[in-house]
PDB file of all heavy atoms in Angstrom:
ATOM      1  N   LYS A   1      85.178 108.625 105.354  1.00 74.00           N
ATOM      2  CA  LYS A   1      86.391 107.831 105.123  1.00 74.00           C
ATOM      3  C   LYS A   1      87.385 108.596 104.265  1.00 74.00           C
ATOM      4  O   LYS A   1      88.591 108.528 104.502  1.00 74.00           O
ATOM      5  CB  LYS A   1      86.036 106.504 104.467  1.00 74.00           C
ATOM      6  CG  LYS A   1      85.346 105.534 105.393  1.00 74.00           C
ATOM      7  CD  LYS A   1      85.080 104.229 104.695  1.00 74.00           C
ATOM      8  CE  LYS A   1      84.319 103.285 105.604  1.00 74.00           C
ATOM      9  NZ  LYS A   1      84.040 102.006 104.962  1.00 74.00           N
ATOM     10  N   ASN A   2      86.871 109.327 103.260  1.00 78.00           N
ATOM     11  CA  ASN A   2      87.763 110.103 102.406  1.00 78.00           C
ATOM     12  C   ASN A   2      88.455 111.200 103.203  1.00 78.00           C
ATOM     13  O   ASN A   2      89.626 111.504 102.978  1.00 78.00           O
ATOM     14  CB  ASN A   2      86.986 110.721 101.249  1.00 78.00           C
ATOM     15  CG  ASN A   2      86.543 109.680 100.247  1.00 78.00           C
ATOM     16  OD1 ASN A   2      87.127 108.613 100.156  1.00 78.00           O
ATOM     17  ND2 ASN A   2      85.503 109.979  99.512  1.00 78.00           N
ATOM     18  N   THR A   3      87.743 111.803 104.140  1.00 75.00           N
ATOM     19  CA  THR A   3      88.319 112.843 104.976  1.00 75.00           C
ATOM     20  C   THR A   3      89.429 112.281 105.849  1.00 75.00           C
ATOM     21  O   THR A   3      90.496 112.886 105.987  1.00 75.00           O
ATOM     22  CB  THR A   3      87.228 113.487 105.854  1.00 75.00           C
ATOM     23  OG1 THR A   3      86.158 113.922 105.021  1.00 75.00           O
ATOM     24  CG2 THR A   3      87.770 114.657 106.629  1.00 75.00           C
ATOM     25  N   LEU A   4      89.190 111.121 106.441  1.00 78.00           N
ATOM     26  CA  LEU A   4      90.227 110.498 107.272  1.00 78.00           C
ATOM     27  C   LEU A   4      91.442 110.106 106.443  1.00 78.00           C
ATOM     28  O   LEU A   4      92.580 110.287 106.881  1.00 78.00           O
ATOM     29  CB  LEU A   4      89.660 109.279 107.994  1.00 78.00           C
ATOM     30  CG  LEU A   4      88.638 109.573 109.090  1.00 78.00           C
ATOM     31  CD1 LEU A   4      88.069 108.268 109.638  1.00 78.00           C
ATOM     32  CD2 LEU A   4      89.253 110.390 110.197  1.00 78.00           C
ATOM     33  N   LYS A   5      91.208 109.576 105.245  1.00 81.00           N
ATOM     34  CA  LYS A   5      92.331 109.231 104.365  1.00 81.00           C
ATOM     35  C   LYS A   5      93.141 110.473 104.029  1.00 81.00           C
ATOM     36  O   LYS A   5      94.370 110.453 104.036  1.00 81.00           O
ATOM     37  CB  LYS A   5      91.822 108.594 103.071  1.00 81.00           C
ATOM     38  CG  LYS A   5      91.404 107.171 103.203  1.00 81.00           C
ATOM     39  CD  LYS A   5      90.981 106.643 101.839  1.00 81.00           C
ATOM     40  CE  LYS A   5      90.445 105.240 101.930  1.00 81.00           C
ATOM     41  NZ  LYS A   5      89.998 104.758 100.604  1.00 81.00           N
ATOM     42  N   PHE A   6      92.437 111.578 103.719  1.00 80.00           N
ATOM     43  CA  PHE A   6      93.128 112.820 103.381  1.00 80.00           C
ATOM     44  C   PHE A   6      93.958 113.312 104.556  1.00 80.00           C
ATOM     45  O   PHE A   6      95.118 113.701 104.385  1.00 80.00           O
ATOM     46  CB  PHE A   6      92.124 113.900 102.951  1.00 80.00           C
ATOM     47  CG  PHE A   6      92.752 115.234 102.720  1.00 80.00           C
ATOM     48  CD1 PHE A   6      93.483 115.469 101.574  1.00 80.00           C
ATOM     49  CD2 PHE A   6      92.630 116.243 103.657  1.00 80.00           C
ATOM     50  CE1 PHE A   6      94.078 116.701 101.359  1.00 80.00           C
ATOM     51  CE2 PHE A   6      93.225 117.465 103.461  1.00 80.00           C
ATOM     52  CZ  PHE A   6      93.945 117.703 102.302  1.00 80.00           C
ATOM     53  N   CYS A   7      93.367 113.300 105.769  1.00 77.00           N
ATOM     54  CA  CYS A   7      94.085 113.777 106.956  1.00 77.00           C
ATOM     55  C   CYS A   7      95.319 112.921 107.238  1.00 77.00           C
ATOM     56  O   CYS A   7      96.392 113.456 107.515  1.00 77.00           O
ATOM     57  CB  CYS A   7      93.168 113.775 108.169  1.00 77.00           C
ATOM     58  SG  CYS A   7      91.979 115.108 108.169  1.00 77.00           S
ATOM     59  N   LEU A   8      95.165 111.620 107.179  1.00 83.00           N
ATOM     60  CA  LEU A   8      96.307 110.736 107.435  1.00 83.00           C
ATOM     61  C   LEU A   8      97.392 110.913 106.383  1.00 83.00           C
ATOM     62  O   LEU A   8      98.585 110.957 106.699  1.00 83.00           O
ATOM     63  CB  LEU A   8      95.849 109.281 107.494  1.00 83.00           C
ATOM     64  CG  LEU A   8      95.067 108.897 108.749  1.00 83.00           C
ATOM     65  CD1 LEU A   8      94.577 107.450 108.640  1.00 83.00           C
ATOM     66  CD2 LEU A   8      95.917 109.077 109.990  1.00 83.00           C
ATOM     67  N   THR A   9      96.985 111.037 105.126  1.00 85.00           N
ATOM     68  CA  THR A   9      97.954 111.246 104.052  1.00 85.00           C
ATOM     69  C   THR A   9      98.671 112.570 104.248  1.00 85.00           C
ATOM     70  O   THR A   9      99.893 112.658 104.068  1.00 85.00           O
ATOM     71  CB  THR A   9      97.247 111.218 102.686  1.00 85.00           C
ATOM     72  OG1 THR A   9      96.533 109.996 102.565  1.00 85.00           O
ATOM     73  CG2 THR A   9      98.229 111.342 101.557  1.00 85.00           C
ATOM     74  N   TRP A  10      97.929 113.612 104.606  1.00 82.00           N
ATOM     75  CA  TRP A  10      98.520 114.928 104.837  1.00 82.00           C
ATOM     76  C   TRP A  10      99.528 114.871 105.979  1.00 82.00           C
ATOM     77  O   TRP A  10     100.641 115.385 105.859  1.00 82.00           O
ATOM     78  CB  TRP A  10      97.418 115.938 105.160  1.00 82.00           C
ATOM     79  CG  TRP A  10      97.943 117.303 105.446  1.00 82.00           C
ATOM     80  CD1 TRP A  10      98.315 117.800 106.650  1.00 82.00           C
ATOM     81  CD2 TRP A  10      98.194 118.342 104.496  1.00 82.00           C
ATOM     82  NE1 TRP A  10      98.757 119.083 106.528  1.00 82.00           N
ATOM     83  CE2 TRP A  10      98.696 119.441 105.220  1.00 82.00           C
ATOM     84  CE3 TRP A  10      98.030 118.452 103.132  1.00 82.00           C
ATOM     85  CZ2 TRP A  10      99.033 120.628 104.603  1.00 82.00           C
ATOM     86  CZ3 TRP A  10      98.367 119.653 102.525  1.00 82.00           C
ATOM     87  CH2 TRP A  10      98.863 120.706 103.249  1.00 82.00           C
ATOM     88  N   ILE A  11      99.150 114.254 107.090  1.00 84.00           N
ATOM     89  CA  ILE A  11     100.028 114.195 108.261  1.00 84.00           C
ATOM     90  C   ILE A  11     101.299 113.413 107.945  1.00 84.00           C
ATOM     91  O   ILE A  11     102.403 113.837 108.298  1.00 84.00           O
ATOM     92  CB  ILE A  11      99.275 113.604 109.467  1.00 84.00           C
ATOM     93  CG1 ILE A  11      98.212 114.591 109.943  1.00 84.00           C
ATOM     94  CG2 ILE A  11     100.228 113.264 110.602  1.00 84.00           C
ATOM     95  CD1 ILE A  11      97.258 114.036 110.974  1.00 84.00           C
ATOM     96  N   ILE A  12     101.171 112.293 107.254  1.00 88.00           N
ATOM     97  CA  ILE A  12     102.351 111.500 106.872  1.00 88.00           C
ATOM     98  C   ILE A  12     103.247 112.305 105.941  1.00 88.00           C
ATOM     99  O   ILE A  12     104.472 112.320 106.097  1.00 88.00           O
ATOM    100  CB  ILE A  12     101.927 110.164 106.242  1.00 88.00           C
ATOM    101  CG1 ILE A  12     101.298 109.268 107.313  1.00 88.00           C
ATOM    102  CG2 ILE A  12     103.107 109.459 105.585  1.00 88.00           C
ATOM    103  CD1 ILE A  12     100.612 108.034 106.769  1.00 88.00           C
ATOM    104  N   GLY A  13     102.644 112.995 104.994  1.00 86.00           N
ATOM    105  CA  GLY A  13     103.420 113.828 104.071  1.00 86.00           C
ATOM    106  C   GLY A  13     104.141 114.956 104.781  1.00 86.00           C
ATOM    107  O   GLY A  13     105.304 115.256 104.480  1.00 86.00           O
ATOM    108  N   VAL A  14     103.475 115.586 105.740  1.00 86.00           N
ATOM    109  CA  VAL A  14     104.097 116.674 106.497  1.00 86.00           C
ATOM    110  C   VAL A  14     105.270 116.145 107.314  1.00 86.00           C
ATOM    111  O   VAL A  14     106.350 116.739 107.324  1.00 86.00           O
ATOM    112  CB  VAL A  14     103.055 117.365 107.413  1.00 86.00           C
ATOM    113  CG1 VAL A  14     103.719 118.228 108.451  1.00 86.00           C
ATOM    114  CG2 VAL A  14     102.089 118.173 106.581  1.00 86.00           C
ATOM    115  N   VAL A  15     105.065 115.043 108.004  1.00 87.00           N
ATOM    116  CA  VAL A  15     106.138 114.474 108.821  1.00 87.00           C
ATOM    117  C   VAL A  15     107.344 114.120 107.956  1.00 87.00           C
ATOM    118  O   VAL A  15     108.487 114.472 108.284  1.00 87.00           O
ATOM    119  CB  VAL A  15     105.631 113.245 109.610  1.00 87.00           C
ATOM    120  CG1 VAL A  15     106.784 112.497 110.248  1.00 87.00           C
ATOM    121  CG2 VAL A  15     104.610 113.653 110.654  1.00 87.00           C
ATOM    122  N   LEU A  16     107.088 113.440 106.844  1.00 89.00           N
ATOM    123  CA  LEU A  16     108.199 113.065 105.961  1.00 89.00           C
ATOM    124  C   LEU A  16     108.912 114.284 105.389  1.00 89.00           C
ATOM    125  O   LEU A  16     110.149 114.335 105.367  1.00 89.00           O
ATOM    126  CB  LEU A  16     107.690 112.172 104.829  1.00 89.00           C
ATOM    127  CG  LEU A  16     107.302 110.753 105.218  1.00 89.00           C
ATOM    128  CD1 LEU A  16     106.720 110.021 104.016  1.00 89.00           C
ATOM    129  CD2 LEU A  16     108.496 110.007 105.760  1.00 89.00           C
ATOM    130  N   SER A  17     108.160 115.267 104.928  1.00 88.00           N
ATOM    131  CA  SER A  17     108.803 116.428 104.314  1.00 88.00           C
ATOM    132  C   SER A  17     109.602 117.240 105.327  1.00 88.00           C
ATOM    133  O   SER A  17     110.703 117.709 105.021  1.00 88.00           O
ATOM    134  CB  SER A  17     107.775 117.311 103.619  1.00 88.00           C
ATOM    135  OG  SER A  17     106.844 117.807 104.540  1.00 88.00           O
ATOM    136  N   VAL A  18     109.083 117.410 106.552  1.00 88.00           N
ATOM    137  CA  VAL A  18     109.822 118.170 107.564  1.00 88.00           C
ATOM    138  C   VAL A  18     111.077 117.413 107.981  1.00 88.00           C
ATOM    139  O   VAL A  18     112.149 118.023 108.143  1.00 88.00           O
ATOM    140  CB  VAL A  18     108.909 118.482 108.777  1.00 88.00           C
ATOM    141  CG1 VAL A  18     109.710 119.030 109.934  1.00 88.00           C
ATOM    142  CG2 VAL A  18     107.820 119.463 108.381  1.00 88.00           C
ATOM    143  N   VAL A  19     110.991 116.102 108.137  1.00 88.00           N
ATOM    144  CA  VAL A  19     112.179 115.316 108.495  1.00 88.00           C
ATOM    145  C   VAL A  19     113.209 115.360 107.367  1.00 88.00           C
ATOM    146  O   VAL A  19     114.403 115.549 107.617  1.00 88.00           O
ATOM    147  CB  VAL A  19     111.776 113.864 108.848  1.00 88.00           C
ATOM    148  CG1 VAL A  19     112.998 112.971 108.947  1.00 88.00           C
ATOM    149  CG2 VAL A  19     110.990 113.827 110.144  1.00 88.00           C
ATOM    150  N   ILE A  20     112.775 115.227 106.131  1.00 89.00           N
ATOM    151  CA  ILE A  20     113.706 115.269 104.992  1.00 89.00           C
ATOM    152  C   ILE A  20     114.360 116.647 104.892  1.00 89.00           C
ATOM    153  O   ILE A  20     115.571 116.748 104.647  1.00 89.00           O
ATOM    154  CB  ILE A  20     112.981 114.891 103.692  1.00 89.00           C
ATOM    155  CG1 ILE A  20     112.654 113.393 103.715  1.00 89.00           C
ATOM    156  CG2 ILE A  20     113.809 115.244 102.467  1.00 89.00           C
ATOM    157  CD1 ILE A  20     111.754 112.943 102.583  1.00 89.00           C
ATOM    158  N   MET A  21     113.574 117.722 105.090  1.00 88.00           N
ATOM    159  CA  MET A  21     114.159 119.069 105.055  1.00 88.00           C
ATOM    160  C   MET A  21     115.191 119.241 106.159  1.00 88.00           C
ATOM    161  O   MET A  21     116.245 119.853 105.940  1.00 88.00           O
ATOM    162  CB  MET A  21     113.062 120.132 105.198  1.00 88.00           C
ATOM    163  CG  MET A  21     112.242 120.335 103.962  1.00 88.00           C
ATOM    164  SD  MET A  21     110.879 121.520 104.076  1.00 88.00           S
ATOM    165  CE  MET A  21     111.119 122.420 105.552  1.00 88.00           C
ATOM    166  N   SER A  22     114.908 118.703 107.334  1.00 88.00           N
ATOM    167  CA  SER A  22     115.841 118.834 108.448  1.00 88.00           C
ATOM    168  C   SER A  22     117.133 118.069 108.188  1.00 88.00           C
ATOM    169  O   SER A  22     118.229 118.563 108.477  1.00 88.00           O
ATOM    170  CB  SER A  22     115.194 118.334 109.743  1.00 88.00           C
ATOM    171  OG  SER A  22     114.065 119.096 110.055  1.00 88.00           O
ATOM    172  N   VAL A  23     117.017 116.870 107.644  1.00 89.00           N
ATOM    173  CA  VAL A  23     118.210 116.077 107.326  1.00 89.00           C
ATOM    174  C   VAL A  23     119.009 116.759 106.221  1.00 89.00           C
ATOM    175  O   VAL A  23     120.236 116.814 106.267  1.00 89.00           O
ATOM    176  CB  VAL A  23     117.802 114.638 106.925  1.00 89.00           C
ATOM    177  CG1 VAL A  23     118.976 113.880 106.348  1.00 89.00           C
ATOM    178  CG2 VAL A  23     117.232 113.907 108.124  1.00 89.00           C
ATOM    179  N   TRP A  24     118.311 117.315 105.232  1.00 90.00           N
ATOM    180  CA  TRP A  24     118.966 117.967 104.102  1.00 90.00           C
ATOM    181  C   TRP A  24     119.783 119.170 104.566  1.00 90.00           C
ATOM    182  O   TRP A  24     120.879 119.422 104.071  1.00 90.00           O
ATOM    183  CB  TRP A  24     117.901 118.411 103.096  1.00 90.00           C
ATOM    184  CG  TRP A  24     118.466 118.900 101.808  1.00 90.00           C
ATOM    185  CD1 TRP A  24     118.799 120.185 101.502  1.00 90.00           C
ATOM    186  CD2 TRP A  24     118.774 118.131 100.648  1.00 90.00           C
ATOM    187  NE1 TRP A  24     119.274 120.271 100.227  1.00 90.00           N
ATOM    188  CE2 TRP A  24     119.272 119.006  99.685  1.00 90.00           C
ATOM    189  CE3 TRP A  24     118.659 116.788 100.348  1.00 90.00           C
ATOM    190  CZ2 TRP A  24     119.650 118.579  98.428  1.00 90.00           C
ATOM    191  CZ3 TRP A  24     119.033 116.366  99.088  1.00 90.00           C
ATOM    192  CH2 TRP A  24     119.525 117.247  98.150  1.00 90.00           C
ATOM    193  N   ARG A  25     119.267 119.905 105.539  1.00 89.00           N
ATOM    194  CA  ARG A  25     119.936 121.102 106.043  1.00 89.00           C
ATOM    195  C   ARG A  25     120.885 120.804 107.203  1.00 89.00           C
ATOM    196  O   ARG A  25     121.509 121.726 107.730  1.00 89.00           O
ATOM    197  CB  ARG A  25     118.902 122.110 106.526  1.00 89.00           C
ATOM    198  CG  ARG A  25     118.027 122.642 105.452  1.00 89.00           C
ATOM    199  CD  ARG A  25     117.033 123.596 106.043  1.00 89.00           C
ATOM    200  NE  ARG A  25     116.079 124.061 105.064  1.00 89.00           N
ATOM    201  CZ  ARG A  25     114.990 124.743 105.341  1.00 89.00           C
ATOM    202  NH1 ARG A  25     114.719 125.033 106.599  1.00 89.00           N
ATOM    203  NH2 ARG A  25     114.186 125.125 104.398  1.00 89.00           N
ATOM    204  N   ASN A  26     120.972 119.553 107.632  1.00 90.00           N
ATOM    205  CA  ASN A  26     121.779 119.157 108.798  1.00 90.00           C
ATOM    206  C   ASN A  26     121.363 119.932 110.047  1.00 90.00           C
ATOM    207  O   ASN A  26     122.194 120.421 110.804  1.00 90.00           O
ATOM    208  CB  ASN A  26     123.272 119.354 108.524  1.00 90.00           C
ATOM    209  CG  ASN A  26     123.786 118.371 107.512  1.00 90.00           C
ATOM    210  OD1 ASN A  26     123.285 117.259 107.420  1.00 90.00           O
ATOM    211  ND2 ASN A  26     124.767 118.783 106.729  1.00 90.00           N
ATOM    212  N   GLU A  27     120.055 120.053 110.248  1.00 86.00           N
ATOM    213  CA  GLU A  27     119.508 120.740 111.409  1.00 86.00           C
ATOM    214  C   GLU A  27     118.632 119.788 112.198  1.00 86.00           C
ATOM    215  O   GLU A  27     118.375 118.667 111.787  1.00 86.00           O
ATOM    216  CB  GLU A  27     118.660 121.943 110.974  1.00 86.00           C
ATOM    217  CG  GLU A  27     119.430 123.019 110.244  1.00 86.00           C
ATOM    218  CD  GLU A  27     118.519 124.119 109.753  1.00 86.00           C
ATOM    219  OE1 GLU A  27     117.284 123.952 109.815  1.00 86.00           O
ATOM    220  OE2 GLU A  27     119.033 125.140 109.292  1.00 86.00           O
ATOM    221  N   GLU A  28     118.157 120.284 113.348  1.00 89.00           N
ATOM    222  CA  GLU A  28     117.181 119.520 114.116  1.00 89.00           C
ATOM    223  C   GLU A  28     115.816 119.626 113.442  1.00 89.00           C
ATOM    224  O   GLU A  28     115.581 120.509 112.626  1.00 89.00           O
ATOM    225  CB  GLU A  28     117.099 120.061 115.545  1.00 89.00           C
ATOM    226  CG  GLU A  28     118.355 119.852 116.349  1.00 89.00           C
ATOM    227  CD  GLU A  28     118.212 120.382 117.749  1.00 89.00           C
ATOM    228  OE1 GLU A  28     117.127 120.885 118.109  1.00 89.00           O
ATOM    229  OE2 GLU A  28     119.193 120.300 118.501  1.00 89.00           O
ATOM    230  N   VAL A  29     114.924 118.731 113.823  1.00 85.00           N
ATOM    231  CA  VAL A  29     113.567 118.757 113.271  1.00 85.00           C
ATOM    232  C   VAL A  29     112.866 120.011 113.772  1.00 85.00           C
ATOM    233  O   VAL A  29     112.893 120.328 114.960  1.00 85.00           O
ATOM    234  CB  VAL A  29     112.782 117.495 113.688  1.00 85.00           C
ATOM    235  CG1 VAL A  29     111.342 117.581 113.241  1.00 85.00           C
ATOM    236  CG2 VAL A  29     113.435 116.255 113.123  1.00 85.00           C
ATOM    237  N   ASP A  30     112.233 120.737 112.849  1.00 84.00           N
ATOM    238  CA  ASP A  30     111.508 121.958 113.190  1.00 84.00           C
ATOM    239  C   ASP A  30     110.111 121.574 113.675  1.00 84.00           C
ATOM    240  O   ASP A  30     109.182 121.392 112.895  1.00 84.00           O
ATOM    241  CB  ASP A  30     111.422 122.872 111.970  1.00 84.00           C
ATOM    242  CG  ASP A  30     110.883 124.241 112.311  1.00 84.00           C
ATOM    243  OD1 ASP A  30     110.593 124.480 113.493  1.00 84.00           O
ATOM    244  OD2 ASP A  30     110.761 125.063 111.389  1.00 84.00           O
ATOM    245  N   TRP A  31     109.977 121.426 114.995  1.00 87.00           N
ATOM    246  CA  TRP A  31     108.720 120.945 115.569  1.00 87.00           C
ATOM    247  C   TRP A  31     107.601 121.949 115.414  1.00 87.00           C
ATOM    248  O   TRP A  31     106.441 121.579 115.263  1.00 87.00           O
ATOM    249  CB  TRP A  31     108.919 120.589 117.041  1.00 87.00           C
ATOM    250  CG  TRP A  31     109.845 119.430 117.203  1.00 87.00           C
ATOM    251  CD1 TRP A  31     111.127 119.478 117.633  1.00 87.00           C
ATOM    252  CD2 TRP A  31     109.571 118.052 116.914  1.00 87.00           C
ATOM    253  NE1 TRP A  31     111.675 118.212 117.632  1.00 87.00           N
ATOM    254  CE2 TRP A  31     110.736 117.325 117.202  1.00 87.00           C
ATOM    255  CE3 TRP A  31     108.458 117.377 116.435  1.00 87.00           C
ATOM    256  CZ2 TRP A  31     110.821 115.947 117.030  1.00 87.00           C
ATOM    257  CZ3 TRP A  31     108.529 116.004 116.270  1.00 87.00           C
ATOM    258  CH2 TRP A  31     109.701 115.314 116.566  1.00 87.00           C
ATOM    259  N   LYS A  32     107.929 123.248 115.447  1.00 89.00           N
ATOM    260  CA  LYS A  32     106.890 124.271 115.274  1.00 89.00           C
ATOM    261  C   LYS A  32     106.263 124.166 113.893  1.00 89.00           C
ATOM    262  O   LYS A  32     105.036 124.243 113.761  1.00 89.00           O
ATOM    263  CB  LYS A  32     107.477 125.664 115.482  1.00 89.00           C
ATOM    264  CG  LYS A  32     107.793 125.995 116.916  1.00 89.00           C
ATOM    265  CD  LYS A  32     108.238 127.431 117.024  1.00 89.00           C
ATOM    266  CE  LYS A  32     109.735 127.426 117.231  1.00 89.00           C
ATOM    267  NZ  LYS A  32     110.314 128.729 117.404  1.00 89.00           N
ATOM    268  N   LEU A  33     107.074 123.995 112.884  1.00 86.00           N
ATOM    269  CA  LEU A  33     106.570 123.853 111.522  1.00 86.00           C
ATOM    270  C   LEU A  33     105.735 122.586 111.389  1.00 86.00           C
ATOM    271  O   LEU A  33     104.646 122.612 110.802  1.00 86.00           O
ATOM    272  CB  LEU A  33     107.730 123.823 110.526  1.00 86.00           C
ATOM    273  CG  LEU A  33     107.376 123.598 109.057  1.00 86.00           C
ATOM    274  CD1 LEU A  33     106.526 124.746 108.538  1.00 86.00           C
ATOM    275  CD2 LEU A  33     108.636 123.439 108.235  1.00 86.00           C
ATOM    276  N   LEU A  34     106.221 121.505 111.955  1.00 85.00           N
ATOM    277  CA  LEU A  34     105.525 120.223 111.881  1.00 85.00           C
ATOM    278  C   LEU A  34     104.137 120.317 112.506  1.00 85.00           C
ATOM    279  O   LEU A  34     103.127 119.999 111.870  1.00 85.00           O
ATOM    280  CB  LEU A  34     106.346 119.146 112.586  1.00 85.00           C
ATOM    281  CG  LEU A  34     105.779 117.739 112.594  1.00 85.00           C
ATOM    282  CD1 LEU A  34     105.877 117.120 111.215  1.00 85.00           C
ATOM    283  CD2 LEU A  34     106.497 116.887 113.603  1.00 85.00           C
TER     284      LEU A  34
END
């Protein structure tokens, strides 16, 4: 359960950070990085 929580938290954090970086730079979402 801890592993699944970590994976889900990591994935949510990655999605949010990549979207925020893209909005901040006025660019498209970097799907390769995501």
Side-chain angles (χ1 to χ4, degrees):
K1 288 182 183 180
N2 289 337
T3 306
L4 291 175
K5 283 182 184 178
F6 174 76
C7 285
L8 287 176
T9 305
W10 178 270
I11 291 170
I12 291 169
V14 165
V15 169
L16 288 176
S17 62
V18 169
V19 169
I20 289 171
M21 285 177 13
S22 298
V23 169
W24 189 269
R25 295 179 185 170
N26 290 329
E27 297 176 350
E28 294 181 2
V29 174
D30 189 1
W31 294 106
K32 287 185 255 182
L33 177 63
L34 181 72

